């Protein structure tokens, strides 16, 4: 196995976020036994992987040294970077948490999709799977959910695990008494092995992951991100079209507040020759950070006010609802935006035969019911694919590849 000659010394003085599997203790100069520990002359080392620290296809070997920071009294670590297989059966999953779409690269996406395909076979052919027997999942939802919460709970039970659930945690948990998110997470991790959380504040999942010693899955954080939805969206596109490179995707509707379209844009940027069209009312246009990111990655994008023209060009028309709950007291702006872009038979008539209509659901009136009869209406197949993706993520986070 080829070993890189490069080494680096980590002072761990705040410039790097240490993974959950790598903890640092200032006074006893001994890191946990699952990393490296020098006691009574004995040194133990092992390989670690973590997406926040490692490039794709690498493992780190941490070795303790006798060098200490005189200021902070922290033992330094020399690191050897070695090539190693990413997805060997039984290996630890590369991520400790699923927080945002930016965590994934193309190789990991492909591997997750392969696991999801295996999960579909289990769901259809192997009822009573015990892959996650003995594991408990807590679902903590501060905002309403049907598909995401129930698909996660179904995923856990179909793999033999158990579920602890709270619905409307904003009102019916200790949050109503003023408990902080951080305290809630530290409490619930004592009762479960993994937490699936939806929150009304952007960035809440990151805050939870910092405090938790168990995996956190972001099931949507306000207008921020919804990474598991993006995963099932890309998985659906690949299954429906047979490819992900060279596709044209129209994102339609509430692009300013839609966490699903934001996360999907990040993932689509992993693929070659993709073009994205943004079609939305003026008050809910896609924000500049996504446009800047796509430009930085060389992804072509274009804003358009003409849904019919875009639909005629695209392989995927991804419709979203205008989110009334994000407008607050600006009801006049909501009414102005709602109903401007509707996918109906007229849109289907200009779409290509192989193209598909997708929607993260729930829908209001932005896709007419008669569209459901068209085989190009993929949104209920899309929702079912969410089960397989979430089964895959739970399996990977709890027991590895």
């Amino acid at each position: 196995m080829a070993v890189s000659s490069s080494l680096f010394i980590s002072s761990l003085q705040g410039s790097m976020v240490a993974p959950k599997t790598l903890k640092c203790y200032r006074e006893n100069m001994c890191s946990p036994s699952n990393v490296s520990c020098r006691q009574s002359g004995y040194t133990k080392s092992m390989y670690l992987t973590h997406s926040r620290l490692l490039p794709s296809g690498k493992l780190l070997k941490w070795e303790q040294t006798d060098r200490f920071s005189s200021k902070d009294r922290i033992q330094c670590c020399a690191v050897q970077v070695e090539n190693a297989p990413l997805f060997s059966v039984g290996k630890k999953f590369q991520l400790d948490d699923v927080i945002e779409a930016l965590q994934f690269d193309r190789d990991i996406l492909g591997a997750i999709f392969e696991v999801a395909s295996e999960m579909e076979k289990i769901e259809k052919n192997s009822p009573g799977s015990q892959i996650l027997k003995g594991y408990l999942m807590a679902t903590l939802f501060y905002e309403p959910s049907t598909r995401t919460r129930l698909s996660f709970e179904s995923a856990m039970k179909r793999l033999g695990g158990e579920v602890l659930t709270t619905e409307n945690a904003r009102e019916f948990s200790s949050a109503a008494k003023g408990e902080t998110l951080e305290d809630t997470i530290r409490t619930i991790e004592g009762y479960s092995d993994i937490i699936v959380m939806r929150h009304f504040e952007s960035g809440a999942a990151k805050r939870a992951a910092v405090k938790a010693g168990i995996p956190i899955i972001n099931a949507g954080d306000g207008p921020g991100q919804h990474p598991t939805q993006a995963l099932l969206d890309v998985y659906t596109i690949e299954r429906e079209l047979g490819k992900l490179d060279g596709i044209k995707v129209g994102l339609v509707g509430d692009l300013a507040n839609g966490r699903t379209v934001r996360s999907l844009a990040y993932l689509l940027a992993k693929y070659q020759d993709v073009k994205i069209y943004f079609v939305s009312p003026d008050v809910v246009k896609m924000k500049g950070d996504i446009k800047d990111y796509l430009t930085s990655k060389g992804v072509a994008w274009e804003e358009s006010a003409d849904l019919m023209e875009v639909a005629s060009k695209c392989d995927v028309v991804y419709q979203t609802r205008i989110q009334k709950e994000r407008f607050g007291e600006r009801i006049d702006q909501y009414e102005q935006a709602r109903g401007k872009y509707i996918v109906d038979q007229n849109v289907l008539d200009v779409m290509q035969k192989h193209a598909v209509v997708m929607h993260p659901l729930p829908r209001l009136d932005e896709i007419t019911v008669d569209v459901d009869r068209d085989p190009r209406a993929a949104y209920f197949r899309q929702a079912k694919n969410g089960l397989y993706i979430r089964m895959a993520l739970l399996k990977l986070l709890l027991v590895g590849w």
Side-chain angles (χ1 to χ4, degrees), residues 156-177:
M156 191 67 177
K157 287 180 174 292
R158 287 179 183 278
L159 292 176
E162 297 294 334
V163 176
L164 306 173
T165 186
T166 177
E167 188 176 6
N168 196 2
R170 190 174 188 176
E171 184 176 350
F172 297 114
S173 74
S174 291
K177 303 175 183 178

Side-chain angles (χ1 to χ4, degrees), residues 360-395:
L361 302 177
R363 68 171 164 186
L364 300 180
D365 55 4
E366 63 275 359
I367 299 179
T368 58
V369 176
D370 60 315
V371 173
D372 297 356
R373 297 191 298 266
D374 194 292
R376 292 171 293 180
Y379 30 89
F380 292 115
R381 298 192 295 273
Q382 175 185 356
K384 185 59 182 283
N385 288 335
L387 173 64
Y388 309 135
I389 285 291
R390 287 159 180 151
M391 288 173 71
L393 289 175
L394 291 173
K395 187 261 184 187

Side-chain angles (χ1 to χ4, degrees), residues 4 6 8 10 16-22 35 46-62 77-87 91-96 102-108 270 401:
S4 169
S6 62
F8 69 88
S10 172
M16 180 186 298
V17 178
K20 293 180 182 180
T21 50
L22 178 62
V35 182
M46 74 170 292
Y47 294 96
L48 296 174
T49 63
H50 196 282
S51 65
R52 298 172 191 165
L53 300 178
L54 305 182
S56 176
K58 301 293 183 181
L59 291 177
L60 293 188
K61 183 178 181 181
W62 292 78
C77 295
V79 180
Q80 292 180 321
V81 181
E82 302 190 0
N83 293 322
L86 269 175
F87 313 118
K91 293 291 186 181
K92 183 181 182 297
F93 187 41
Q94 282 74 11
L95 309 180
D96 281 344
L102 289 166
Q103 291 176 274
F104 301 94
D105 62 28
R106 183 166 175 158
D107 290 338
I108 292 180
K270 310 295 182 185
W401 294 103

Side-chain angles (χ1 to χ4, degrees), residues 251 264-270 274 276 278 286 288-302:
L251 303 181
L264 178 56
Y266 281 126
L267 290 193
L268 289 174
K270 310 295 182 185
V274 171
I276 301 177
F278 300 127
M286 180 60 79
D289 61 329
I290 297 295
K291 298 173 186 175
D292 292 343
Y293 179 82
L294 294 175
T295 299
S296 72
K297 297 299 181 181
V299 178
W301 60 269
E302 178 182 327

Side-chain angles (χ1 to χ4, degrees), residues 215-387:
I216 299 290
I217 298 179
N218 179 8
D221 57 343
Q225 288 209 37
H226 196 345
T228 69
Q229 179 69 48
L231 288 170
L232 75 90
D233 290 341
V234 175
Y235 182 62
T236 299
I237 293 171
E238 183 178 54
R239 288 172 63 95
E240 296 288 332
L241 301 181
K243 65 177 183 177
L244 289 164
D245 292 319
I247 63 173
K248 295 179 180 179
V249 180
L251 303 181
V252 185
D254 191 343
L255 307 186
N257 301 305
R259 56 195 172 207
T260 62
V261 288
R262 291 175 58 82
S263 292
L264 178 56
Y266 281 126
L267 290 193
L268 289 174
K270 310 295 182 185
Y271 299 92
Q272 300 296 315
D273 301 320
V274 171
K275 182 167 184 178
I276 301 177
Y277 294 88
F278 300 127
V279 183
S280 66
D282 289 339
V283 294
V284 286
K285 285 184 176 293
M286 180 60 79
K287 294 179 180 178
D289 61 329
I290 297 295
K291 298 173 186 175
D292 292 343
Y293 179 82
L294 294 175
T295 299
S296 72
K297 297 299 181 181
V299 178
W301 60 269
E302 178 182 327
E303 288 188 316
S304 174
D306 191 337
L307 175 57
M308 298 291 281
E309 180 184 5
V310 169
S312 70
K313 298 176 180 178
C314 284
D315 303 288
V316 178
V317 174
Y318 190 99
Q319 175 71 292
T320 64
R321 71 182 175 91
I322 305 298
Q323 299 185 35
K324 184 177 181 179
E325 65 271 24
R326 308 296 180 199
F327 282 80
E329 297 180 355
R330 299 170 294 145
I331 300 301
D332 57 329
Q333 292 186 10
Y334 168 72
E335 294 297 339
Q336 177 187 347
R338 181 182 176 184
K340 185 168 184 179
Y341 295 109
I342 296 177
V343 174
D344 56 16
Q345 187 60 50
N346 292 325
V347 174
L348 289 176
D349 288 344
V350 302
M351 288 177 59
Q352 301 174 73
K353 296 300 182 183
H354 73 273
V356 293
V357 178
M358 295 175 59
H359 193 304
L361 302 177
R363 68 171 164 186
L364 300 180
D365 55 4
E366 63 275 359
I367 299 179
T368 58
V369 176
D370 60 315
V371 173
D372 297 356
R373 297 191 298 266
D374 194 292
R376 292 171 293 180
Y379 30 89
F380 292 115
R381 298 192 295 273
Q382 175 185 356
K384 185 59 182 283
N385 288 335
L387 173 64

Side-chain angles (χ1 to χ4, degrees), residues 66-100:
D66 292 323
R67 288 168 285 182
F68 297 87
S69 164
S70 59
K71 178 181 178 181
D72 291 325
R73 297 291 294 164
I74 299 177
Q75 187 163 5
C76 298
C77 295
V79 180
Q80 292 180 321
V81 181
E82 302 190 0
N83 293 322
L86 269 175
F87 313 118
S88 300
V89 174
K91 293 291 186 181
K92 183 181 182 297
F93 187 41
Q94 282 74 11
L95 309 180
D96 281 344
D97 313 286
V98 174
I99 304 300
E100 59 185 10

